[in-house]
Amino acid sequence: MDWPAYSPDLNPIEHVWDALRRRIAARLHHPENTQQLKQMLIEEWALLPQEMLPQLVLSMRRRCEATIAVRGGHIPY
């Protein structure tokens, strides 16, 4: 596949960042500075369901196939 790194769907860490973002947004108190944000990220990382990471890895084949089906032979500029 050409340019797979440019597709967020093909980058499992993007899905982890999204999960962390949603978890922090759901908190009652939002971070007021970068130190608080860092601490919240560490806390939420520890609370992520452990099965999430292997599931993301296992979903890569399906994601690649879906991306190929949608994009076909298109090569981004």
Side-chain angles (χ1 to χ4, degrees):
M1 273 191 310
D2 294 316
W3 305 94
Y6 293 107
S7 175
D9 289 336
L10 298 181
N11 189 343
I13 194 66
E14 293 296 333
H15 295 275
V16 175
W17 278 119
D18 183 58
L20 290 171
R21 180 195 56 78
R22 285 183 279 116
R23 293 175 72 98
I24 288 174
R27 286 181 167 223
L28 294 176
H29 302 287
H30 296 118
E32 296 177 11
N33 55 52
T34 55
Q35 184 59 35
Q36 286 181 2
L37 176 59
K38 179 181 176 180
Q39 184 59 41
M40 288 181 184
L41 285 168
I42 290 169
E43 292 168 6
E44 292 299 341
W45 174 261
L47 295 173
L48 281 177
Q50 290 299 301
E51 66 274 1
M52 179 184 180
L53 302 178
Q55 286 176 352
L56 281 172
V57 172
L58 292 174
S59 72
M60 290 308 297
R61 180 181 181 101
R62 178 183 50 78
R63 292 175 189 282
C64 288
E65 290 170 347
T67 301
I68 290 169
V70 169
R71 295 175 81 184
H74 174 70
I75 299 174
Y77 43 88

